[in-house]
């Protein structure tokens, strides 16, 4: 599905990247998976429709764009996302702070 000009893969998703697994108002990001260079709303969507070989972003690549704001389409680097305090730096839309619990599934810690 095309979200703000970016292809995002999921079984089910709304126009701000909320998926069947995470669909609260503040669930509005997609993560570009390092292993397949493809955006997914969450690790569960990647497990269902992804490459089958999950791999996390290495720290040396944290300066690359890997997060999509589902509200405005702004792409954040991993570093920007980790420092953004759960808010899009461009449009100030709130992101789910609970995503921090899953960082180890996306980024080298």
């Amino acid at each position: 599905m095309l979200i703000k000009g970016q292809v995002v893969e999921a079984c089910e998703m709304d126009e701000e990247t909320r998926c069947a697994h995470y669909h609260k108002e503040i669930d509005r990001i997609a993560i570009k998976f390092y292993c397949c260079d493809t955006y997914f709303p969450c690790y569960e969507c990647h497990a269902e429709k992804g490459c089958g070989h999950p791999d996390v972003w290495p720290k040396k690549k944290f300066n690359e764009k890997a997060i999509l704001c589902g509200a405005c389409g702004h792409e954040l680097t991993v570093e920007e996302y980790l420092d953004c305090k759960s808010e899009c730096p461009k449009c100030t839309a709130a992101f789910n702070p609970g995503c921090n619990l899953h960082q180890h599934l996306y980024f080298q810690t």
Side-chain angles (χ1 to χ4, degrees):
M1 178 176 200
L2 204 58
I3 303 288
K4 312 294 189 273
Q6 295 291 332
V7 174
V8 180
E9 297 290 336
C11 293
E12 182 182 319
M13 179 177 49
D14 75 3
E15 69 281 349
E16 286 195 357
T17 73
R18 291 176 200 92
C19 65
H21 310 105
Y22 296 95
H23 45 269
K24 292 180 182 172
E25 174 65 24
I26 55 178
D27 291 319
R28 62 168 52 94
I29 65 161
I31 301 102
K32 185 184 290 183
F33 275 72
Y34 182 73
C35 47
C36 56
D37 196 38
T38 304
Y39 277 113
F40 290 88
C42 73
Y43 68 95
E44 293 183 63
C45 287
H46 180 263
E48 292 174 10
K49 291 196 66 160
C51 65
H53 306 285
D55 198 6
V56 297
W57 282 88
K59 287 184 180 181
K60 66 182 179 186
K61 301 264 187 176
F62 278 17
N63 62 337
E64 294 186 24
K65 294 184 187 285
I67 307 296
L68 177 70
C69 173
C72 73
H74 180 65
E75 287 185 285
L76 292 78
T77 65
V78 174
E79 191 171 74
E80 288 172 321
Y81 175 70
L82 294 175
D83 292 339
C84 78
K85 297 183 173 80
S86 300
E87 181 179 278
C88 178
K90 183 174 181 187
C91 73
T92 70
F95 299 153
N96 189 337
C99 292
N100 291 332
L101 300 173
H102 304 137
Q103 282 184 11
H104 66 285
L105 299 172
Y106 308 114
F107 316 119
Q108 186 178 29
T109 54

